[in-house]
């Protein structure tokens, strides 16, 4: 049975507690990555990415594995991203993917989630930290990495071959939208070299035909970088 700690929004509570201060100091680590891994023999078909580079973000999340049907709040299963940390406790956004927190009409609005020492999922309101805590949900605090389509991306696409000529297409994307000025079609003569070079990347061609290509990435578009925001 759920352990319920509900504090209703009475004027006396407002006066004695004041507003809840949810920290906003969470950091997300951003890492640039390339696929496939360097040195790995890979096969791509016409229209496939031979080389793909983008960014992946890693942050702390509260994973609620089962829906919590609470007296004051319903907490749906999903991943809730960290918004901040205070005194060793993490606080998480009330929206998730696909999670969400729904309140009944008689309690204060929800502003954040957290997990207490009893592994209960707690709801903070504008006036009370951890105003309601519930058992169940099988919560877990984890780090989660997500590829971001909103960041800058680069791709080199296999476009088939014509005799000893290999055709490829280069595309750049920002926010999921192709940058037309940075989209090009290129040709490589395998009689001259079996190395494809473009934008600093180097790819060794092992075998190919007009349907597919086997290759190894020797150097990606540019060195991987990491930063936080």
């Amino acid at each position: 049975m759920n352990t319920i700690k509900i504090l209703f929004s009475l004027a006396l509570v407002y006066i004695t507690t004041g507003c809840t201060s949810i920290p906003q100091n969470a950091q997300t680590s951003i890492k640039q990555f390339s696929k496939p891994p360097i040195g790995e023999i890979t096969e791509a078909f016409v229209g496939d990415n031979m080389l793909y580079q983008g960014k992946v973000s890693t942050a702390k999340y509260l994973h609620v594995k089962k829906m919590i049907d609470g007296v004051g709040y319903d907490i749906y299963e999903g991943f809730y991203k960290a918004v901040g940390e205070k005194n060793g406790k993490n606080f998480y956004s009330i929206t998730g993917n696909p999670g969400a927190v729904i309140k009944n009409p008689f309690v204060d609005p929800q502003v954040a989630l957290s997990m207490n020492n009893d592994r209960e999922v707690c709801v903070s309101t504008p006036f009370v930290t951890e105003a309601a805590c519930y058992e169940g949900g099988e919560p877990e605090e984890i780090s989660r990495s997500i590829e971001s389509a909103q960041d800058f991306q680069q791709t080199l696409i296999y476009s088939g071959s014509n005799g000893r000529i290999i055709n490829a297409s280069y595309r750049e994307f920002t926010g999921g939208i192709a940058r037309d000025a940075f989209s090009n079609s290129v040709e490589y003569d395998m009689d001259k070299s079996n190395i494809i070079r473009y934008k600093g990347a180097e790819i060794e061609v092992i075998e190919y035909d007009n349907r597919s290509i086997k290759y190894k990435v020797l150097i990606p578009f540019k060195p991987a970088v990491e930063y936080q925001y």
Side-chain angles (χ1 to χ4, degrees), residues 137-194:
E138 299 181 4
E140 182 181 17
E141 294 182 304
I142 62 171
S143 290
R144 188 176 184 222
S145 297
I146 300 175
E147 291 184 19
S148 175
Q150 299 305 310
D151 289 314
F152 177 68
Q153 299 171 330
Q154 297 170 278
T155 63
L156 190 65
I157 303 167
Y158 185 56
S159 300
S161 63
N162 183 9
R164 296 287 290 170
I165 302 296
I166 282 180
N167 300 302
S169 299
Y170 174 77
R171 300 287 186 269
E172 289 184 3
F173 299 85
T174 301
I177 300 174
R179 305 173 69 196
D180 291 339
F182 297 90
S183 298
N184 298 296
S185 296
V186 290
E187 296 182 346
Y188 295 90
D189 188 344
M190 293 293 101
D191 285 330
K192 295 181 178 179
S193 173
N194 71 329

Side-chain angles (χ1 to χ4, degrees), residues 34-225:
S34 290
K35 295 180 180 179
I38 294 173
E40 180 178 290
I41 297 177
T42 304
E43 183 176 18
F45 294 88
V46 171
D48 287 346
N49 292 328
M50 296 175 62
L51 180 58
Y52 167 61
Q53 185 163 295
K55 293 177 182 177
V56 61
S57 62
T58 301
K60 292 180 180 178
Y61 285 81
L62 178 65
H63 183 195
V64 179
K65 299 178 183 178
K66 292 184 178 180
M67 179 185 171
I68 297 172
D69 183 6
V71 172
Y73 304 89
D74 292 339
I75 304 170
Y76 286 80
E77 68 273 13
F79 295 88
Y80 297 83
K81 188 176 181 180
V83 294
E85 180 271 336
K86 185 177 181 181
N87 298 327
K89 180 181 290 293
N90 292 304
F91 292 87
Y92 300 89
S93 170
I94 58 171
T95 59
N97 182 25
V101 179
I102 308 298
K103 79 179 193 72
N104 76 35
F106 305 105
V107 297
D108 288 333
Q110 63 275 31
V111 296
L113 294 181
S114 60
M115 185 174 74
N116 65 16
N117 292 335
D118 295 324
R119 299 191 65 81
E120 297 172 324
V121 179
C122 299
V123 180
S124 292
T125 73
F127 303 98
V128 183
T129 300
E130 299 189 348
C133 295
Y134 304 95
E135 293 178 348
E138 299 181 4
E140 182 181 17
E141 294 182 304
I142 62 171
S143 290
R144 188 176 184 222
S145 297
I146 300 175
E147 291 184 19
S148 175
Q150 299 305 310
D151 289 314
F152 177 68
Q153 299 171 330
Q154 297 170 278
T155 63
L156 190 65
I157 303 167
Y158 185 56
S159 300
S161 63
N162 183 9
R164 296 287 290 170
I165 302 296
I166 282 180
N167 300 302
S169 299
Y170 174 77
R171 300 287 186 269
E172 289 184 3
F173 299 85
T174 301
I177 300 174
R179 305 173 69 196
D180 291 339
F182 297 90
S183 298
N184 298 296
S185 296
V186 290
E187 296 182 346
Y188 295 90
D189 188 344
M190 293 293 101
D191 285 330
K192 295 181 178 179
S193 173
N194 71 329
I195 303 296
I196 292 175
R197 295 180 175 89
Y198 197 85
K199 292 278 187 178
E202 293 189 4
I203 296 173
E204 178 186 352
V205 177
I206 298 173
E207 61 181 66
Y208 66 94
D209 56 29
N210 199 38
R211 176 175 171 270
S212 64
I213 183 172
K214 288 186 179 180
Y215 62 97
K216 290 192 297 185
V217 175
L218 304 179
I219 302 174
F221 285 120
K222 55 186 176 181
V225 295

